């Protein structure tokens, strides 16, 4: 006998379900799932979030440090143009490639500026949202006490049993006193506290360590400050190089500089007004028998007398890494050399060159230096005197060279050339170089160029009537004069950054909760904590707090607690009939 389907709710549900499944379209499992299109706005938002993430900021900071390495390995035009040109001349094609890539102007190159700007934007994007959140946290109260403290670090549950005769009012007063005692104890430990009313009891919510995030933000803000100050310094600073011979002076004006560079916002009218005279220059070197490399420099000292309008003259010794500071400028000792006093007279008897001549050291340990004298007014032809100054000279199969950097046996080894020096072409020339290919050397009777070797006080007469004399010897010093108005702010930002980093590394951020509930059997105390980072001492501190509160509750009500005053079975409690020993049940749960 067949059964007819019944029109029941269950039957209708089954039929509906069958109909639903049968009408569901089949899924094409061969087609891979496709992600929804971001669109232009979504793409830009994604790129912005990637750029302003902390991971990107750290990567950019590392790239900036790597990009600054060439600035330490290769000479920079803004610091030492002469050394940069020497490097280019010695390295040929390789030097040209590095110059094209900007390795001699690292800190003003396009690629360094791009990393710099991206890091600046990334840091700003990281700081602004975090700063707003942190300010809200500083104004907010500590978070409420969780309902289940068993999940947190160092959870401790203590049952403070009371005498059966204790009434509810006495028990409530004891719980309130315990909560107040917990609050005071946490406040003494520099916690922010908040007492909250709960069903069946009260609790204290405490938090400290917000200084950790403050230090973190201070570090990042200081890093932005350093970047801003460096950029401001590049725009407003100036730097120039000068060369001053002993007994000569310098006045701080643009025309007195050998080379000068300044930022786009630099105002030359704000250059400080000062002048100085180089009174003496001293250099000491390692001598034979002293140990170490013979001829290695030991010290360089330049005695200067500085005059500033409205102030008394100042005498100071400038040394390497011990600059001279005047208002608006700092003067650093950059280099030194010899300036022999040479007089050149042409065949007509006219003095065409006279005075100290700055020589350029060639880089050897003996201070062999190149000398160039140009006499465009000589007659009948323009004259150039080229050669070497040798502080402790010798001439052998290696040619003229110096054996020791100090002037123990000073000599000049020279040749004289005549012809067009090219000074009338209007093209700037290096004062320390001359193109000998367009000049003719003065030769002797054998047809060979005349080689001149002079000692101080000697004079040499050439066959055409030209005379060259070595009249004396002085030294010169090269100085770097610079000013960056943002330097103090860079230092301040760096110090703030270091302080913020210390706080972010060593200040733990933690939360502690204390809950007190009254039950029929007495008072139940619960204590637990939570650390936002690795904090190995938190568990011990929670246990210590719980122990302190339980002992204080079992002892005197408000007076100072003495842990030595305990009975044989535990802390002494005070009941209505006098002191009695009532042990507390303490349970630790570190789940």
């Amino acid at each position: 006998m067949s059964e007819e389907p019944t029109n029941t709710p269950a039957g209708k549900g089954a039929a509906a379900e069958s109909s639903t499944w049968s009408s569901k379209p089949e899924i094409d499992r061969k087609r891979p799932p496709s992600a929804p299109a971001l669109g232009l706005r979504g793409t830009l938002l994604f790129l912005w979030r990637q750029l302003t993430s902390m991971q990107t900021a750290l990567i950019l900071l590392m790239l900036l440090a790597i990009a600054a390495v060439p600035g330490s390995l290769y000479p920079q035009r803004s610091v030492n143009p002469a050394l940069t040109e020497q490097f280019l001349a010695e390295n040929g094609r390789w030097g040209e490639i590095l110059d094209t890539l900007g390795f001699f102007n690292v800190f003003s190159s396009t690629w360094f500026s791009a990393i710099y700007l991206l890091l600046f934007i990334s840091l700003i994007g990281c700081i602004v949202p975090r700063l707003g959140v942190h300010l809200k946290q500083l104004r907010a109260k500590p978070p409420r006490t969780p309902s289940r403290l068993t999940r947190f670090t160092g959870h401790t549950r203590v049952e403070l049993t009371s005498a059966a005769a204790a009434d509810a009012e006495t028990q409530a007063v004891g719980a309130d006193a315990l909560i107040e005692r917990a609050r005071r104890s946490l406040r003494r430990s520099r916690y922010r506290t908040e007492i909250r009313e709960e069903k069946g009891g009260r609790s204290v919510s405490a938090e400290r360590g917000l200084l950790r995030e403050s230090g973190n933000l201070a570090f990042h803000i200081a890093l932005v400050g350093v970047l801003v100050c460096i950029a401001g310094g590049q725009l407003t600073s100036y730097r120039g190089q000068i060369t001053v011979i002993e007994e000569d002076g310098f006045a701080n004006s643009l025309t007195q500089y050998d080379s000068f560079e300044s930022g786009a916002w630099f105002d030359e009218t704000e250059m400080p007004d000062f002048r100085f005279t180089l009174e003496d220059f001293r250099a000491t070197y390692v001598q034979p028998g002293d140990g170490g490399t013979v001829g290695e420099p030991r010290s360089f000292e330049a005695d200067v007398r500085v005059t500033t309008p409205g102030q008394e003259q100042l005498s100071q010794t400038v040394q390497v890494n011990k600059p001279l500071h005047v208002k608006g400028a700092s003067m650093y000792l950059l280099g030194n050399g010899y300036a022999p006093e040479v007089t050149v007279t042409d065949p007509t008897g006219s003095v065409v060159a006279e005075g100290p001549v700055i020589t350029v050291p060639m880089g050897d340990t003996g201070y062999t230096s190149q000398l160039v004298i140009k006499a465009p007014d000589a007659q009948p032809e323009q004259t150039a005197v080229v050669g070497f100054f040798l502080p402790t000279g010798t001439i052998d199969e290696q040619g003229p060279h110096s054996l020791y950097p100090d002037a123990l046996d000073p000599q000049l080894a020279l040749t004289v050339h005549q012809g067009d020096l090219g000074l009338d072409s209007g093209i700037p020339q290096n004062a320390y170089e001359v193109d000998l290919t367009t000049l003719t050397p003065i030769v002797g009777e054998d047809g060979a160029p005349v080689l001149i070797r002079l000692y101080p006080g000697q004079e040499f007469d050439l066959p055409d009537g030209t005379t060259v004399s070595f009249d004396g010897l002085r030294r010169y010093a090269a100085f770097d004069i610079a000013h960056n108005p943002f330097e103090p702010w860079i230092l301040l930002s760096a110090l703030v950054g270091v302080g913020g980093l210390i706080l972010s590394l060593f200040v733990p951020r933690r939360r502690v909760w204390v809950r007190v509930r009254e039950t029929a059997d007495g008072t139940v105390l619960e204590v637990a904590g939570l650390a936002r980072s690795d904090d190995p001492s938190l568990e011990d501190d929670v246990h210590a707090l719980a122990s302190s509160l339980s002992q204080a509750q079992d002892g005197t009500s408000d007076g100072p607690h003495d842990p030595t005053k305990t009975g044989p079975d535990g802390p002494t409690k005070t009941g209505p009939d006098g002191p009695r020993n009532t042990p507390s049940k303490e349970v630790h749960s570190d789940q």
Side-chain angles (χ1 to χ4, degrees), residues 233-518:
Q234 291 291 328
L235 292 172
T236 58
S237 63
Y238 73 87
R239 177 183 297 271
Q241 290 75 39
I242 59 173
T243 303
V244 183
I245 301 173
E246 285 179 325
E247 301 176 7
D248 286 351
F250 165 81
N252 190 32
S253 64
L254 291 180
T255 59
Q256 297 290 311
Y257 284 91
D258 300 331
S259 60
F260 187 87
E261 289 187 356
S262 61
W265 296 349
F266 169 73
D267 185 2
E268 63 180 74
T269 60
E270 296 181 359
M271 292 184 66
D273 184 12
F274 73 94
R275 56 184 58 85
F276 74 89
T277 301
L278 178 60
E279 297 183 327
D280 185 35
F281 182 85
R282 298 178 300 279
T284 59
Y285 308 92
V286 176
Q287 299 180 359
D290 289 349
T293 304
V294 176
E296 183 179 7
R298 280 185 167 175
S299 66
F300 297 115
E301 298 178 342
D303 294 336
V304 297
R305 186 177 69 254
V306 184
T307 302
T308 304
Q311 299 182 9
E312 296 182 358
Q313 286 189 345
L314 171 67
S315 296
Q316 183 173 331
T317 299
V318 182
Q319 303 178 44
V320 178
N321 297 325
K322 292 184 179 180
L324 168 68
H325 297 288
V326 297
K327 185 178 181 179
S330 298
M331 188 172 72
Y332 302 85
L333 181 59
L334 193 62
N336 66 92
Y338 290 93
E341 296 177 328
V342 181
T343 301
V344 180
T345 305
D346 66 9
T348 64
S350 301
V351 176
V352 293
E354 184 180 20
V357 180
I358 294 175
T359 61
V360 180
M362 300 182 64
D364 63 348
T365 58
Y367 253 58
T368 302
S369 304
Q370 184 177 358
L371 179 145
V372 174
I373 301 175
K374 299 178 182 180
D377 298 329
Q379 297 295 331
E381 292 185 278
Q382 294 181 341
T383 302
V385 181
V386 297
F388 302 96
F389 170 74
L390 314 174
T392 304
T394 184
I395 300 178
D396 51 22
E397 63 276 2
Q398 299 179 10
H401 62 279
S402 177
L403 301 175
Y404 190 72
D406 208 355
L408 303 180
D409 186 18
Q411 304 175 30
L412 289 174
L414 309 171
T415 58
V416 180
H417 302 257
Q418 294 179 333
D420 185 7
L421 298 177
L423 298 178
D424 299 328
S425 63
I427 301 175
Q429 294 187 12
N430 191 329
Y432 306 110
E433 295 179 356
V434 64
D435 185 7
L436 296 180
T437 60
T438 62
L439 304 178
T440 302
I442 297 179
V443 298
E445 296 179 354
D446 56 357
V450 177
L451 302 179
I452 303 173
R453 187 174 186 178
L454 291 175
Y455 293 89
Q458 290 186 344
E459 182 179 304
F460 190 91
D461 296 325
L462 283 86
D464 72 332
T466 301
T467 62
V468 180
S469 63
F470 185 4
D471 304 324
L473 180 64
R474 286 195 259 174
R475 297 206 64 158
Y476 71 85
F479 297 97
D480 183 86
I481 299 178
H483 176 58
N484 184 349
F486 283 85
E487 276 186 352
W489 299 106
I490 293 176
L491 176 60
L492 178 61
S493 298
L495 293 177
V496 171
V498 172
L501 185 61
I502 292 174
L503 291 176
S504 65
L505 291 177
F506 297 104
V507 174
R509 185 175 179 184
R510 54 168 63 168
R511 292 172 180 172
V512 175
W513 297 283
V514 179
R515 172 178 285 135
V516 178
R517 287 178 176 172
E518 297 87 2

Side-chain angles (χ1 to χ4, degrees), residues 516-529:
V516 178
R517 287 178 176 172
E518 297 87 2
T519 64
D521 297 329
T523 303
V524 176
L525 169 69
E526 285 187 280
V527 184

Side-chain angles (χ1 to χ4, degrees), residues 109-134:
S109 62
T110 304
W111 46 271
F112 188 88
S113 301
I115 299 174
Y116 188 94
L117 183 61
L118 286 175
L119 176 61
F120 182 80
I121 296 173
S122 179
L123 287 173
I124 293 293
C126 290
I127 290 172
V128 172
R130 290 177 59 189
L131 185 60
V133 172
H134 185 57

